[in-house]
């Protein structure tokens, strides 16, 4: 998140162009959050609210959830955002104040020393981020063993028939939300705002979509995305800038997924998310998606954060999400990349003088330090 904020401060070009890009990305992410709430509340809710798939979850702590009003939800979230003890928040998986502190730190930290070199603080942040990414990537090799153990524990305590049916509902709901965004919303935005033919435009983007599907990483698909934008007559310097930024802050597929997964984990434990809680989940999903690490399944960490914010117990049912996340991760990465490629065409149309607003020697995207999420 610190790197994302420092990247925003260093963006080239006119402020109007930069603001247009950021607003468009935030617009699509908010729409994705709304779509996630709609498909969760309608399709998934029709199955889960009947208590047919509510599991008796063994736990040392009884499940209790107090319905809060919208005002209580907003004030409680604002109070939680203010950092009190960052070490304790990290230890208790309360990442919301850490995200807020990281945003402020990234916006205020000096970028360069007097000599013109990158500041020592940012160099430390880069090195820490590199070490953590390498560590998490290494741990991902052990994830099949860990996920298998969690699934085995759940299968011993839960009804396998109900588990299979409920997970199928989750997968169908997530894919429905992602399809709504990818096949309906993005083409409409491309047609109405960019005045482009969606069929021709997305056909040229097929290599980037296939790469995203195979790698589960929008960063890995970034070079292909830039090549595809060039095929669609997008200026290379504009494509490099907008797509690199999109790999950092535009995670529409992740927003849909986090909302559906949160609603699912609440429903199978017999908990009901009211309107105020759905609003909070949508806001947190939008914010958390911006700070996810550029590695597959990184959003699982933020899913746990959102669960704690709306008082959903974190127990053995979480393993059901981890077991299918690898598959859904690929689908939502395609949506992330598709949204990036849509916005770059919109920006090229809305800001006609963008070619002169951006220098042609923009840093090579393969060498940029981006921190996108899937």
């Amino acid at each position: 998140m610190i790197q994302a904020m420092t990247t925003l401060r260093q963006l080239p070009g006119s402020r109007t162009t930069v603001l247009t890009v950021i607003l468009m990305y935030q617009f699509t992410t908010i729409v994705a959050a709304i779509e996630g709430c709609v498909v969760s509340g309608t399709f998934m809710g029709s199955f889960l609210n009947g208590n047919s798939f509510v599991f008796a979850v063994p736990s040392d702590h009884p499940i209790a959830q107090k319905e809060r009003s919208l005002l209580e939800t907003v004030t409680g979230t604002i109070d939680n955002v203010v950092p009190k003890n960052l070490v304790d928040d990290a230890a208790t998986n309360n990442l919301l104040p850490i995200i807020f502190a990281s945003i402020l730190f990234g916006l205020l930290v000096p970028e360069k020393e007097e000599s013109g070199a990158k500041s020592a603080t940012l160099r430390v942040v880069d090195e820490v981020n590199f070490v953590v990414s390498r560590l998490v990537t290494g741990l991902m090799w052990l994830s099949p063993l860990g996920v298998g153990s969690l699934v085995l524990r759940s299968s011993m305590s839960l009804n396998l028939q109900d588990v299979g049916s409920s997970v199928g509902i989750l997968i169908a709901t997530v894919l429905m939300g992602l399809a709504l965004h990818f096949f309906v919303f993005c083409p409409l935005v491309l047609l109405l705002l960019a005045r482009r033919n969606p069929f021709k435009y997305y056909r040229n983007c097929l290599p980037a979509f296939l790469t995203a599907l195979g790698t589960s990483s929008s960063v890995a698909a970034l070079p292909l995305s830039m090549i595809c934008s060039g095929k669609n007559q997008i200026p290379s310097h504009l494509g490099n800038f907008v797509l690199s930024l999109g790999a950092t802050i535009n995670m529409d597929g992740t927003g849909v997924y986090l909302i559906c997964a949160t609603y699912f984990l609440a429903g199978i434990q017999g908990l009901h998310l009211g309107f105020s809680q759905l609003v909070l989940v949508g806001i947190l999903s939008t914010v958390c998606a911006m700070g996810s690490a550029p590695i597959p399944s990184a959003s699982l960490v933020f899913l746990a954060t959102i669960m704690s914010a709306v008082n959903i117990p974190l127990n053995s049912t979480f393993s059901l999400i981890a077991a299918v996340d690898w598959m859904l991760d690929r689908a939502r990465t395609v949506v992330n990349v598709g949204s990036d490629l849509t916005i770059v065409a919109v920006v090229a149309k809305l800001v006609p003088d963008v070619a002169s607003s951006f220098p042609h020697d923009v840093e090579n995207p393969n060498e940029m330090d981006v921190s996108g999420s899937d």
Side-chain angles (χ1 to χ4, degrees), residues 15-73:
R15 292 186 177 181
T16 302
T17 303
V18 173
L19 184 61
T20 301
V21 175
I22 296 176
L23 289 179
M24 286 302 305
Y25 276 145
Q26 292 306 304
F27 168 68
T28 60
T29 304
I30 292 173
V31 172
I34 295 175
E35 292 169 345
C37 292
V38 170
V39 296
S40 297
T42 55
F43 181 74
M44 190 188 301
S46 63
F47 289 93
L48 297 181
N49 290 340
N51 294 328
S52 301
F53 297 100
V54 175
F55 300 153
V57 182
S59 176
D60 297 332
H61 306 284
I63 297 177
Q65 187 186 45
K66 179 183 177 181
E67 180 68 26
R68 298 192 298 177
S69 65
L70 181 59
L71 178 61
E72 291 175 331
T73 300

Short mmCIF file of all heavy atoms in Angstrom, two decimals, residues 15-73:
data_model
loop_
_atom_site.label_atom_id
_atom_site.label_comp_id
_atom_site.label_asym_id
_atom_site.label_seq_id
_atom_site.Cartn_x
_atom_site.Cartn_y
_atom_site.Cartn_z
N ARG A 15 -2.40 16.80 -14.27
CA ARG A 15 -3.24 16.37 -13.16
C ARG A 15 -4.62 15.95 -13.65
O ARG A 15 -5.24 15.04 -13.07
CB ARG A 15 -3.36 17.50 -12.14
CG ARG A 15 -2.06 17.82 -11.41
CD ARG A 15 -2.29 18.85 -10.32
NE ARG A 15 -1.07 19.11 -9.58
CZ ARG A 15 -0.98 19.96 -8.55
NH1 ARG A 15 -2.06 20.62 -8.17
NH2 ARG A 15 0.17 20.13 -7.92
N THR A 16 -5.13 16.60 -14.68
CA THR A 16 -6.45 16.24 -15.21
C THR A 16 -6.46 14.80 -15.72
O THR A 16 -7.39 14.03 -15.45
CB THR A 16 -6.84 17.19 -16.35
OG1 THR A 16 -6.85 18.53 -15.87
CG2 THR A 16 -8.21 16.83 -16.90
N THR A 17 -5.42 14.43 -16.45
CA THR A 17 -5.33 13.08 -16.98
C THR A 17 -5.21 12.06 -15.87
O THR A 17 -5.89 11.02 -15.87
CB THR A 17 -4.13 12.96 -17.93
OG1 THR A 17 -4.25 13.93 -18.97
CG2 THR A 17 -4.05 11.58 -18.53
N VAL A 18 -4.34 12.33 -14.91
CA VAL A 18 -4.14 11.42 -13.78
C VAL A 18 -5.44 11.27 -12.99
O VAL A 18 -5.84 10.15 -12.62
CB VAL A 18 -3.01 11.92 -12.87
CG1 VAL A 18 -2.92 11.07 -11.61
CG2 VAL A 18 -1.68 11.89 -13.61
N LEU A 19 -6.13 12.37 -12.74
CA LEU A 19 -7.38 12.32 -12.00
C LEU A 19 -8.44 11.53 -12.76
O LEU A 19 -9.21 10.77 -12.16
CB LEU A 19 -7.88 13.74 -11.73
CG LEU A 19 -9.15 13.88 -10.87
CD1 LEU A 19 -8.90 13.27 -9.49
CD2 LEU A 19 -9.56 15.33 -10.75
N THR A 20 -8.47 11.68 -14.09
CA THR A 20 -9.42 10.92 -14.90
C THR A 20 -9.18 9.42 -14.78
O THR A 20 -10.12 8.64 -14.62
CB THR A 20 -9.31 11.34 -16.38
OG1 THR A 20 -9.58 12.74 -16.51
CG2 THR A 20 -10.29 10.55 -17.24
N VAL A 21 -7.92 9.03 -14.83
CA VAL A 21 -7.58 7.61 -14.72
C VAL A 21 -8.00 7.05 -13.37
O VAL A 21 -8.64 6.00 -13.27
CB VAL A 21 -6.07 7.41 -14.95
CG1 VAL A 21 -5.69 5.95 -14.72
CG2 VAL A 21 -5.67 7.84 -16.35
N ILE A 22 -7.65 7.77 -12.30
CA ILE A 22 -7.96 7.28 -10.96
C ILE A 22 -9.46 7.20 -10.73
O ILE A 22 -9.98 6.22 -10.18
CB ILE A 22 -7.28 8.17 -9.91
CG1 ILE A 22 -5.75 8.08 -10.02
CG2 ILE A 22 -7.72 7.79 -8.49
CD1 ILE A 22 -5.01 9.00 -9.09
N LEU A 23 -10.19 8.23 -11.16
CA LEU A 23 -11.64 8.23 -10.97
C LEU A 23 -12.31 7.11 -11.75
O LEU A 23 -13.26 6.48 -11.26
CB LEU A 23 -12.22 9.59 -11.38
CG LEU A 23 -11.90 10.77 -10.46
CD1 LEU A 23 -12.53 12.05 -11.00
CD2 LEU A 23 -12.40 10.50 -9.04
N MET A 24 -11.84 6.84 -12.96
CA MET A 24 -12.41 5.76 -13.74
C MET A 24 -12.16 4.41 -13.09
O MET A 24 -13.05 3.54 -13.04
CB MET A 24 -11.84 5.77 -15.16
CG MET A 24 -12.39 6.87 -16.06
SD MET A 24 -14.20 6.82 -16.24
CE MET A 24 -14.44 5.14 -16.83
N TYR A 25 -10.97 4.22 -12.56
CA TYR A 25 -10.66 2.97 -11.88
C TYR A 25 -11.52 2.80 -10.62
O TYR A 25 -12.03 1.71 -10.34
CB TYR A 25 -9.18 2.91 -11.51
CG TYR A 25 -8.29 2.43 -12.63
CD1 TYR A 25 -7.00 2.95 -12.81
CD2 TYR A 25 -8.72 1.45 -13.51
CE1 TYR A 25 -6.19 2.51 -13.84
CE2 TYR A 25 -7.91 1.00 -14.54
CZ TYR A 25 -6.64 1.54 -14.69
OH TYR A 25 -5.83 1.08 -15.72
N GLN A 26 -11.68 3.88 -9.87
CA GLN A 26 -12.51 3.80 -8.68
C GLN A 26 -13.97 3.57 -9.03
O GLN A 26 -14.69 2.84 -8.34
CB GLN A 26 -12.35 5.07 -7.85
CG GLN A 26 -10.98 5.25 -7.23
CD GLN A 26 -10.57 4.05 -6.41
OE1 GLN A 26 -11.27 3.64 -5.48
NE2 GLN A 26 -9.44 3.45 -6.76
N PHE A 27 -14.41 4.15 -10.12
CA PHE A 27 -15.79 3.96 -10.57
C PHE A 27 -16.07 2.49 -10.89
O PHE A 27 -17.08 1.93 -10.45
CB PHE A 27 -16.05 4.83 -11.80
CG PHE A 27 -17.33 4.50 -12.53
CD1 PHE A 27 -18.56 4.74 -11.96
CD2 PHE A 27 -17.30 3.92 -13.80
CE1 PHE A 27 -19.74 4.43 -12.63
CE2 PHE A 27 -18.46 3.60 -14.47
CZ PHE A 27 -19.68 3.86 -13.88
N THR A 28 -15.17 1.86 -11.64
CA THR A 28 -15.39 0.45 -11.99
C THR A 28 -15.31 -0.45 -10.76
O THR A 28 -16.05 -1.43 -10.66
CB THR A 28 -14.36 -0.01 -13.03
OG1 THR A 28 -13.02 0.13 -12.50
CG2 THR A 28 -14.47 0.81 -14.30
N THR A 29 -14.44 -0.11 -9.81
CA THR A 29 -14.33 -0.92 -8.60
C THR A 29 -15.59 -0.81 -7.75
O THR A 29 -16.07 -1.81 -7.17
CB THR A 29 -13.10 -0.50 -7.77
OG1 THR A 29 -11.93 -0.58 -8.58
CG2 THR A 29 -12.92 -1.40 -6.57
N ILE A 30 -16.15 0.40 -7.65
CA ILE A 30 -17.39 0.59 -6.89
C ILE A 30 -18.54 -0.16 -7.55
O ILE A 30 -19.36 -0.80 -6.87
CB ILE A 30 -17.70 2.09 -6.77
CG1 ILE A 30 -16.66 2.78 -5.88
CG2 ILE A 30 -19.11 2.30 -6.21
CD1 ILE A 30 -16.80 4.28 -5.85
N VAL A 31 -18.62 -0.11 -8.88
CA VAL A 31 -19.65 -0.86 -9.59
C VAL A 31 -19.49 -2.35 -9.34
O VAL A 31 -20.48 -3.08 -9.14
CB VAL A 31 -19.60 -0.54 -11.10
CG1 VAL A 31 -20.54 -1.48 -11.87
CG2 VAL A 31 -20.00 0.90 -11.36
N ALA A 32 -18.26 -2.84 -9.34
CA ALA A 32 -18.01 -4.25 -9.07
C ALA A 32 -18.47 -4.63 -7.67
O ALA A 32 -19.04 -5.72 -7.47
CB ALA A 32 -16.52 -4.56 -9.24
N ALA A 33 -18.25 -3.75 -6.69
CA ALA A 33 -18.71 -4.02 -5.33
C ALA A 33 -20.24 -4.08 -5.27
O ALA A 33 -20.81 -4.95 -4.59
CB ALA A 33 -18.19 -2.93 -4.39
N ILE A 34 -20.90 -3.18 -6.00
CA ILE A 34 -22.37 -3.21 -6.04
C ILE A 34 -22.85 -4.50 -6.69
O ILE A 34 -23.81 -5.14 -6.21
CB ILE A 34 -22.89 -1.99 -6.82
CG1 ILE A 34 -22.55 -0.69 -6.07
CG2 ILE A 34 -24.40 -2.09 -7.03
CD1 ILE A 34 -22.91 0.56 -6.82
N GLU A 35 -22.19 -4.92 -7.76
CA GLU A 35 -22.57 -6.17 -8.42
C GLU A 35 -22.39 -7.35 -7.47
O GLU A 35 -23.22 -8.28 -7.44
CB GLU A 35 -21.72 -6.36 -9.66
CG GLU A 35 -22.01 -5.36 -10.77
CD GLU A 35 -20.98 -5.39 -11.88
OE1 GLU A 35 -19.88 -5.98 -11.66
OE2 GLU A 35 -21.24 -4.84 -12.96
N GLY A 36 -21.30 -7.34 -6.69
CA GLY A 36 -21.08 -8.42 -5.74
C GLY A 36 -22.18 -8.48 -4.69
O GLY A 36 -22.64 -9.57 -4.32
N CYS A 37 -22.60 -7.32 -4.20
CA CYS A 37 -23.68 -7.29 -3.21
C CYS A 37 -25.00 -7.79 -3.81
O CYS A 37 -25.76 -8.51 -3.16
CB CYS A 37 -23.86 -5.86 -2.68
SG CYS A 37 -22.49 -5.26 -1.66
N VAL A 38 -25.27 -7.41 -5.06
CA VAL A 38 -26.53 -7.79 -5.70
C VAL A 38 -26.60 -9.30 -5.93
O VAL A 38 -27.59 -9.94 -5.57
CB VAL A 38 -26.70 -7.02 -7.03
CG1 VAL A 38 -27.89 -7.59 -7.82
CG2 VAL A 38 -26.90 -5.54 -6.77
N VAL A 39 -25.55 -9.87 -6.53
CA VAL A 39 -25.60 -11.31 -6.82
C VAL A 39 -25.55 -12.12 -5.53
O VAL A 39 -26.16 -13.20 -5.45
CB VAL A 39 -24.44 -11.72 -7.76
CG1 VAL A 39 -24.58 -11.06 -9.10
CG2 VAL A 39 -23.08 -11.42 -7.14
N SER A 40 -24.87 -11.62 -4.51
CA SER A 40 -24.82 -12.35 -3.23
C SER A 40 -26.18 -12.32 -2.55
O SER A 40 -26.66 -13.34 -2.06
CB SER A 40 -23.76 -11.74 -2.31
OG SER A 40 -22.47 -11.86 -2.85
N GLY A 41 -26.79 -11.14 -2.52
CA GLY A 41 -28.07 -11.01 -1.82
C GLY A 41 -29.22 -11.67 -2.52
O GLY A 41 -30.18 -12.10 -1.88
N THR A 42 -29.16 -11.77 -3.85
CA THR A 42 -30.27 -12.36 -4.60
C THR A 42 -30.06 -13.85 -4.85
O THR A 42 -30.84 -14.68 -4.39
CB THR A 42 -30.45 -11.63 -5.94
OG1 THR A 42 -29.20 -11.63 -6.66
CG2 THR A 42 -30.87 -10.19 -5.71
N PHE A 43 -29.00 -14.20 -5.57
CA PHE A 43 -28.80 -15.59 -5.95
C PHE A 43 -28.37 -16.44 -4.75
O PHE A 43 -29.02 -17.43 -4.40
CB PHE A 43 -27.76 -15.68 -7.05
CG PHE A 43 -27.50 -17.09 -7.53
CD1 PHE A 43 -28.42 -17.74 -8.33
CD2 PHE A 43 -26.34 -17.76 -7.18
CE1 PHE A 43 -28.20 -19.04 -8.76
CE2 PHE A 43 -26.11 -19.05 -7.61
CZ PHE A 43 -27.04 -19.70 -8.41
N MET A 44 -27.27 -16.07 -4.10
CA MET A 44 -26.79 -16.86 -2.98
C MET A 44 -27.74 -16.77 -1.79
O MET A 44 -27.96 -17.76 -1.08
CB MET A 44 -25.39 -16.40 -2.56
CG MET A 44 -24.72 -17.31 -1.55
SD MET A 44 -23.15 -16.64 -0.91
CE MET A 44 -22.22 -16.47 -2.43
N GLY A 45 -28.32 -15.58 -1.56
CA GLY A 45 -29.21 -15.42 -0.42
C GLY A 45 -30.43 -16.30 -0.50
O GLY A 45 -30.94 -16.77 0.52
N SER A 46 -30.92 -16.57 -1.71
CA SER A 46 -32.11 -17.41 -1.85
C SER A 46 -31.85 -18.84 -1.39
O SER A 46 -32.77 -19.54 -0.99
CB SER A 46 -32.57 -17.40 -3.31
OG SER A 46 -31.58 -17.96 -4.16
N PHE A 47 -30.59 -19.27 -1.42
CA PHE A 47 -30.25 -20.62 -0.97
C PHE A 47 -29.87 -20.64 0.50
O PHE A 47 -30.29 -21.52 1.25
CB PHE A 47 -29.08 -21.17 -1.79
CG PHE A 47 -29.43 -21.51 -3.21
CD1 PHE A 47 -29.25 -20.58 -4.22
CD2 PHE A 47 -29.95 -22.75 -3.54
CE1 PHE A 47 -29.57 -20.88 -5.54
CE2 PHE A 47 -30.27 -23.06 -4.84
CZ PHE A 47 -30.09 -22.13 -5.85
N LEU A 48 -29.08 -19.67 0.93
CA LEU A 48 -28.54 -19.70 2.29
C LEU A 48 -29.53 -19.25 3.34
O LEU A 48 -29.49 -19.72 4.48
CB LEU A 48 -27.28 -18.83 2.37
CG LEU A 48 -26.10 -19.27 1.49
CD1 LEU A 48 -24.92 -18.33 1.70
CD2 LEU A 48 -25.69 -20.69 1.80
N ASN A 49 -30.43 -18.34 2.99
CA ASN A 49 -31.35 -17.81 3.99
C ASN A 49 -32.38 -18.83 4.44
O ASN A 49 -33.03 -18.64 5.46
CB ASN A 49 -32.07 -16.57 3.45
CG ASN A 49 -31.13 -15.38 3.31
OD1 ASN A 49 -30.07 -15.35 3.93
ND2 ASN A 49 -31.53 -14.40 2.51
N GLY A 50 -32.53 -19.91 3.68
CA GLY A 50 -33.45 -20.95 4.10
C GLY A 50 -32.87 -21.89 5.12
O GLY A 50 -33.53 -22.84 5.53
N ASN A 51 -31.61 -21.66 5.53
CA ASN A 51 -30.92 -22.46 6.53
C ASN A 51 -30.69 -23.89 6.09
O ASN A 51 -30.39 -24.77 6.90
CB ASN A 51 -31.67 -22.47 7.88
CG ASN A 51 -31.69 -21.10 8.52
OD1 ASN A 51 -30.76 -20.33 8.36
ND2 ASN A 51 -32.76 -20.80 9.25
N SER A 52 -30.85 -24.18 4.78
CA SER A 52 -30.61 -25.54 4.30
C SER A 52 -29.13 -25.88 4.30
O SER A 52 -28.76 -27.05 4.35
CB SER A 52 -31.18 -25.68 2.87
OG SER A 52 -32.56 -25.41 2.85
N PHE A 53 -28.30 -24.86 4.24
CA PHE A 53 -26.87 -25.11 4.15
C PHE A 53 -26.13 -24.53 5.34
O PHE A 53 -24.95 -24.24 5.27
CB PHE A 53 -26.32 -24.50 2.85
CG PHE A 53 -26.91 -25.12 1.62
CD1 PHE A 53 -27.94 -24.46 0.94
CD2 PHE A 53 -26.48 -26.34 1.16
CE1 PHE A 53 -28.49 -25.03 -0.20
CE2 PHE A 53 -27.02 -26.90 0.02
CZ PHE A 53 -28.04 -26.26 -0.65
N VAL A 54 -26.84 -24.32 6.45
CA VAL A 54 -26.18 -23.82 7.66
C VAL A 54 -25.48 -24.98 8.34
O VAL A 54 -26.07 -26.03 8.58
CB VAL A 54 -27.19 -23.17 8.61
CG1 VAL A 54 -26.52 -22.78 9.91
CG2 VAL A 54 -27.82 -21.95 7.94
N PHE A 55 -24.20 -24.81 8.66
CA PHE A 55 -23.40 -25.86 9.25
C PHE A 55 -23.30 -25.67 10.76
O PHE A 55 -23.23 -24.55 11.26
CB PHE A 55 -21.98 -25.87 8.67
CG PHE A 55 -21.94 -26.08 7.18
CD1 PHE A 55 -20.89 -25.59 6.44
CD2 PHE A 55 -22.95 -26.76 6.53
CE1 PHE A 55 -20.85 -25.77 5.07
CE2 PHE A 55 -22.93 -26.95 5.16
CZ PHE A 55 -21.87 -26.45 4.43
N ALA A 56 -23.25 -26.78 11.46
CA ALA A 56 -22.95 -26.75 12.89
C ALA A 56 -21.44 -26.74 13.03
O ALA A 56 -20.78 -27.77 12.91
CB ALA A 56 -23.56 -27.97 13.58
N VAL A 57 -20.88 -25.58 13.26
CA VAL A 57 -19.44 -25.42 13.28
C VAL A 57 -18.92 -25.58 14.69
O VAL A 57 -19.31 -24.84 15.60
CB VAL A 57 -19.03 -24.03 12.74
CG1 VAL A 57 -17.52 -23.89 12.72
CG2 VAL A 57 -19.61 -23.82 11.36
N PRO A 58 -18.04 -26.56 14.94
CA PRO A 58 -17.46 -26.69 16.26
C PRO A 58 -16.59 -25.48 16.58
O PRO A 58 -15.74 -25.10 15.80
CB PRO A 58 -16.62 -27.97 16.16
CG PRO A 58 -16.72 -28.46 14.78
CD PRO A 58 -17.54 -27.53 13.98
N SER A 59 -16.82 -24.89 17.73
CA SER A 59 -16.06 -23.70 18.10
C SER A 59 -16.07 -23.54 19.61
O SER A 59 -17.04 -23.92 20.29
CB SER A 59 -16.64 -22.45 17.43
OG SER A 59 -15.96 -21.30 17.87
N ASP A 60 -15.00 -23.00 20.13
CA ASP A 60 -14.93 -22.74 21.56
C ASP A 60 -15.73 -21.50 21.94
O ASP A 60 -16.00 -21.25 23.10
CB ASP A 60 -13.46 -22.53 21.98
CG ASP A 60 -12.63 -23.79 21.75
OD1 ASP A 60 -13.22 -24.88 21.80
OD2 ASP A 60 -11.41 -23.66 21.52
N HIS A 61 -16.08 -20.71 20.94
CA HIS A 61 -16.82 -19.47 21.19
C HIS A 61 -18.14 -19.53 20.44
O HIS A 61 -18.17 -19.78 19.24
CB HIS A 61 -16.01 -18.27 20.72
CG HIS A 61 -14.64 -18.22 21.31
ND1 HIS A 61 -14.42 -17.83 22.60
CD2 HIS A 61 -13.44 -18.53 20.77
CE1 HIS A 61 -13.11 -17.89 22.85
NE2 HIS A 61 -12.50 -18.32 21.76
N PRO A 62 -19.24 -19.33 21.10
CA PRO A 62 -20.53 -19.35 20.41
C PRO A 62 -20.62 -18.22 19.41
O PRO A 62 -20.07 -17.14 19.61
CB PRO A 62 -21.54 -19.16 21.56
CG PRO A 62 -20.77 -18.47 22.64
CD PRO A 62 -19.37 -18.98 22.53
N ILE A 63 -21.34 -18.49 18.33
CA ILE A 63 -21.52 -17.49 17.29
C ILE A 63 -22.59 -16.50 17.74
O ILE A 63 -23.72 -16.86 18.01
CB ILE A 63 -21.94 -18.14 15.96
CG1 ILE A 63 -20.83 -19.05 15.46
CG2 ILE A 63 -22.29 -17.10 14.92
CD1 ILE A 63 -21.20 -19.80 14.19
N ALA A 64 -22.20 -15.26 17.81
CA ALA A 64 -23.15 -14.21 18.20
C ALA A 64 -22.90 -13.00 17.32
O ALA A 64 -21.77 -12.60 17.13
CB ALA A 64 -22.97 -13.85 19.67
N GLN A 65 -23.96 -12.47 16.83
CA GLN A 65 -23.83 -11.32 15.94
C GLN A 65 -24.89 -10.30 16.31
O GLN A 65 -26.08 -10.59 16.34
CB GLN A 65 -24.00 -11.73 14.48
CG GLN A 65 -23.69 -10.60 13.52
CD GLN A 65 -24.00 -11.03 12.10
OE1 GLN A 65 -25.03 -11.61 11.82
NE2 GLN A 65 -23.11 -10.69 11.18
N LYS A 66 -24.46 -9.10 16.60
CA LYS A 66 -25.38 -8.03 16.96
C LYS A 66 -25.62 -7.15 15.74
O LYS A 66 -24.67 -6.63 15.16
CB LYS A 66 -24.78 -7.19 18.10
CG LYS A 66 -25.67 -6.02 18.51
CD LYS A 66 -25.00 -5.19 19.59
CE LYS A 66 -25.84 -3.98 19.96
NZ LYS A 66 -25.19 -3.14 20.97
N GLU A 67 -26.87 -7.03 15.38
CA GLU A 67 -27.22 -6.19 14.23
C GLU A 67 -27.00 -4.73 14.60
O GLU A 67 -27.49 -4.25 15.63
CB GLU A 67 -28.68 -6.42 13.85
CG GLU A 67 -29.13 -5.58 12.68
CD GLU A 67 -28.46 -5.99 11.39
OE1 GLU A 67 -28.06 -7.15 11.26
OE2 GLU A 67 -28.35 -5.12 10.49
N ARG A 68 -26.24 -4.03 13.76
CA ARG A 68 -25.94 -2.64 14.03
C ARG A 68 -26.59 -1.77 12.96
O ARG A 68 -26.73 -2.17 11.81
CB ARG A 68 -24.42 -2.40 14.04
CG ARG A 68 -23.69 -3.17 15.11
CD ARG A 68 -22.25 -2.68 15.25
NE ARG A 68 -21.50 -2.88 14.03
CZ ARG A 68 -20.23 -2.50 13.87
NH1 ARG A 68 -19.62 -1.86 14.86
NH2 ARG A 68 -19.60 -2.72 12.73
N SER A 69 -26.96 -0.56 13.37
CA SER A 69 -27.54 0.38 12.42
C SER A 69 -26.44 0.91 11.51
O SER A 69 -25.24 0.72 11.76
CB SER A 69 -28.21 1.54 13.17
OG SER A 69 -27.23 2.30 13.87
N LEU A 70 -26.87 1.61 10.45
CA LEU A 70 -25.89 2.17 9.51
C LEU A 70 -25.00 3.19 10.22
O LEU A 70 -23.79 3.25 9.99
CB LEU A 70 -26.62 2.83 8.34
CG LEU A 70 -25.73 3.45 7.25
CD1 LEU A 70 -24.81 2.41 6.65
CD2 LEU A 70 -26.58 4.10 6.17
N LEU A 71 -25.59 4.01 11.11
CA LEU A 71 -24.80 5.00 11.85
C LEU A 71 -23.77 4.32 12.74
O LEU A 71 -22.61 4.75 12.81
CB LEU A 71 -25.73 5.89 12.67
CG LEU A 71 -25.04 6.96 13.54
CD1 LEU A 71 -24.25 7.92 12.66
CD2 LEU A 71 -26.07 7.72 14.37
N GLU A 72 -24.19 3.27 13.44
CA GLU A 72 -23.25 2.55 14.31
C GLU A 72 -22.14 1.90 13.50
O GLU A 72 -20.97 1.85 13.93
CB GLU A 72 -24.00 1.49 15.12
CG GLU A 72 -24.94 2.05 16.16
CD GLU A 72 -25.76 0.98 16.85
OE1 GLU A 72 -26.03 -0.06 16.20
OE2 GLU A 72 -26.13 1.17 18.01
N THR A 73 -22.49 1.41 12.33
CA THR A 73 -21.48 0.78 11.47
C THR A 73 -20.46 1.80 11.00
O THR A 73 -19.25 1.55 11.03
CB THR A 73 -22.17 0.13 10.25
OG1 THR A 73 -23.09 -0.86 10.71
CG2 THR A 73 -21.14 -0.54 9.35
#
